[in-house]
Amino acid sequence: MRSARSDDAPVDEGDQEKPDALALPAHVAGSGTLDRLVETARDYAKRATSENTLRAYAKDWAHFSRWCRMKGTEPLPPSPEMIGLYLVDLAAPTGNASALSVSTIDRRLSGLTWNYTQRGFTLDRKNRHIATVLAGIRRKHARPPVQKEAILRDDILAMVATLPFDLRGLRDRAILLLGYAGGLRRSEIVSLDVHKDDTLESGGWTEIMDGKDGGGALLTLNAKTGWREVEIGRGSSDQTCPVHALEQWLHFAKIDFGPVFVRTSRDGKKALEARLNDKHVARLIKQAVLKAGIRPELPEKERLALFSGHSLRAGLASSAEVDERYVQKHLGHASAEMTRRYQRRRDRFRVNLTKAAGL
């Protein structure tokens, strides 16, 4: 049963042009068994790419299709010459449009490549009309990556303190503390289920365990780099303990099956059935940053731009005073170098090769 629209209802993005679905070859007659296999294949194909990426790729295709029609051409079949001009228009647009960053342009091209593949075409990114233009754009417009601000220990405590103690507040407190202590991506937070295989769209599950050191929560995640386990120990007090916050939310929301984090009613007193959207995590972080008065010397717009869902992940990497390899394992990074990118406050010159070399 559907309840009334909640505080976390998603925005309607409108209809998007869909690629051709997987189907049987034209010369093969359909049957009950083959039709079921086709449906299963379509389901697997949908799961090959994350929901967020699919939405982004759909928007990329819609934007490119509109651009083509405004130029008096069609997006199909792929034309390397027109795609090269499209990239130029993204980097140095005419009129009042804003230029896109190099990373966004590269992502747009990846979106077009994916869309063409789904429609049975091949887009050669190495074609000179595309590759040389993109290389020139990178050379002229590339900038160092802009990192989001890390949420440090005192910040997260101040943010949690701004939340009320109604059901919505319990949920948001569990999201912030669990996301921070687990170094989780926002998609990983909202994709959690209570148990394994509770829902088809599950991205992992939770298990609260006892132990001689107080126990904690074991999260099994199907993350970007594959399956991994994240151990979240209990905190020093109930007020700041992510495991206690999770237990409180599940208990008072009466959740024992399905998604861990769901939407709430408008009054914040009733848990609904629908899984929370990952955009809520980003909004929650920005709102809590403002309420907690973090970086008060900056205008509100700049403060909001500094923080995102990744701020929780960077905060743990920057605050945890443990050996770097443990942080790397916790975050699921393949290399120590990637972990160091998240450490905003590390001692960069602790290992001094200049002195070690005798200078």
Side-chain angles (χ1 to χ4, degrees):
M1 178 182 295
R2 282 192 171 272
S3 303
R5 178 181 172 86
S6 73
D7 60 309
D8 311 307
V11 176
D12 181 11
E13 295 180 353
D15 295 331
Q16 299 286 353
E17 187 177 348
K18 302 291 192 302
D20 296 333
L22 295 174
L24 289 171
H27 64 278
V28 176
S31 67
T33 301
L34 288 175
D35 289 344
R36 284 193 296 273
L37 288 175
V38 168
E39 288 302 318
T40 304
R42 289 173 180 170
D43 185 58
Y44 280 135
K46 288 179 182 177
R47 295 172 185 276
T49 310
S50 72
E51 293 275 342
N52 286 342
T53 302
L54 288 174
R55 282 195 292 268
Y57 285 174
K59 289 181 178 179
D60 293 340
W61 183 256
H63 185 272
F64 177 64
S65 297
R66 287 194 299 271
W67 183 89
C68 285
R69 284 158 191 154
M70 289 175 63
K71 305 304 179 187
T73 186
E74 293 293 328
L76 296 172
S79 165
E81 294 87 350
M82 291 305 296
I83 291 173
L85 295 178
Y86 174 66
L87 300 181
V88 170
D89 205 15
L90 296 179
T94 56
N96 297 324
S98 299
L100 299 185
S101 67
V102 173
S103 61
T104 301
I105 293 172
D106 203 35
R107 206 291 318 285
R108 286 273 178 96
L109 182 57
S110 296
L112 296 186
T113 303
W114 183 90
N115 274 283
Y116 277 123
T117 300
Q118 303 311 304
R119 290 163 170 81
F121 295 95
T122 299
L123 177 61
D124 182 10
R125 293 182 56 148
K126 294 181 180 180
N127 182 285
R128 63 189 179 89
H129 294 283
I130 297 174
T132 55
V133 167
L134 188 58
I137 290 173
R138 285 183 179 138
R139 187 175 181 84
K140 182 173 182 179
H141 298 293
R143 298 288 184 273
V146 178
Q147 293 183 318
K148 294 297 182 181
E149 191 89 354
I151 292 173
L152 304 177
R153 173 189 173 276
D154 291 344
D155 299 330
I156 194 69
L157 296 181
M159 291 164 65
V160 168
T162 67
L163 299 173
F165 285 91
D166 59 4
L167 200 60
R168 187 184 301 161
L170 291 178
R171 179 199 66 188
D172 290 346
R173 185 173 285 101
I175 287 174
L176 289 178
L177 290 174
L178 200 72
Y180 183 81
L184 304 178
R185 301 175 179 87
R186 64 185 193 180
S187 59
E188 293 171 344
I189 296 172
V190 300
S191 68
L192 283 170
D193 278 1
V194 179
H195 309 105
K196 181 181 179 182
D197 298 329
D198 274 0
T199 64
L200 291 174
E201 71 275 11
S202 171
W205 64 91
T206 64
E207 184 180 0
I208 296 177
M209 311 171 71
D210 296 324
K212 62 179 181 179
D213 296 319
L218 177 65
L219 310 184
T220 304
L221 302 172
N222 187 7
K224 290 174 66 175
T225 54
W227 287 97
R228 82 177 199 274
E229 290 184 343
V230 176
E231 299 173 3
I232 301 179
R234 291 190 179 273
S236 55
S237 71
D238 285 349
Q239 288 71 32
T240 62
C241 175
V243 183
H244 180 75
L246 176 62
E247 291 173 324
Q248 291 288 292
W249 158 247
L250 293 176
H251 172 73
F252 287 103
K254 298 181 174 60
I255 295 175
D256 57 9
F257 183 85
V260 169
F261 295 112
V262 296
R263 298 173 188 159
T264 62
S265 57
R266 284 186 178 275
D267 59 10
K269 296 180 179 179
K270 181 181 179 182
L272 307 179
E273 295 178 0
R275 187 186 299 274
L276 200 63
N277 189 287
D278 70 332
K279 292 180 181 178
H280 173 79
V281 179
R283 289 196 300 266
L284 169 62
I285 290 170
K286 292 177 183 293
Q287 291 167 0
V289 162
L290 290 181
K291 290 181 181 178
I294 297 171
R295 299 295 300 271
E297 73 278 8
L298 298 176
E300 180 176 311
K301 186 176 181 180
E302 290 184 28
R303 292 165 67 195
L304 289 174
L306 276 177
F307 296 92
S308 72
H310 245 52
S311 295
L312 295 178
R313 200 163 157 82
L316 176 81
S318 302
S319 299
E321 299 291 340
V322 296
D323 191 296
E324 188 177 83
R325 57 185 168 166
Y326 295 114
V327 180
Q328 179 183 340
K329 179 179 181 295
H330 200 73
L331 298 182
H333 287 155
S335 67
E337 180 58 34
M338 178 59 73
T339 302
R340 293 188 191 107
R341 294 182 190 178
Y342 282 74
Q343 294 173 317
R344 310 290 195 262
R345 202 179 58 173
R346 66 186 176 92
D347 184 357
R348 294 182 179 274
F349 303 105
R350 181 173 57 85
V351 177
N352 190 327
L353 293 182
T354 306
K355 290 183 179 179
L359 300 180

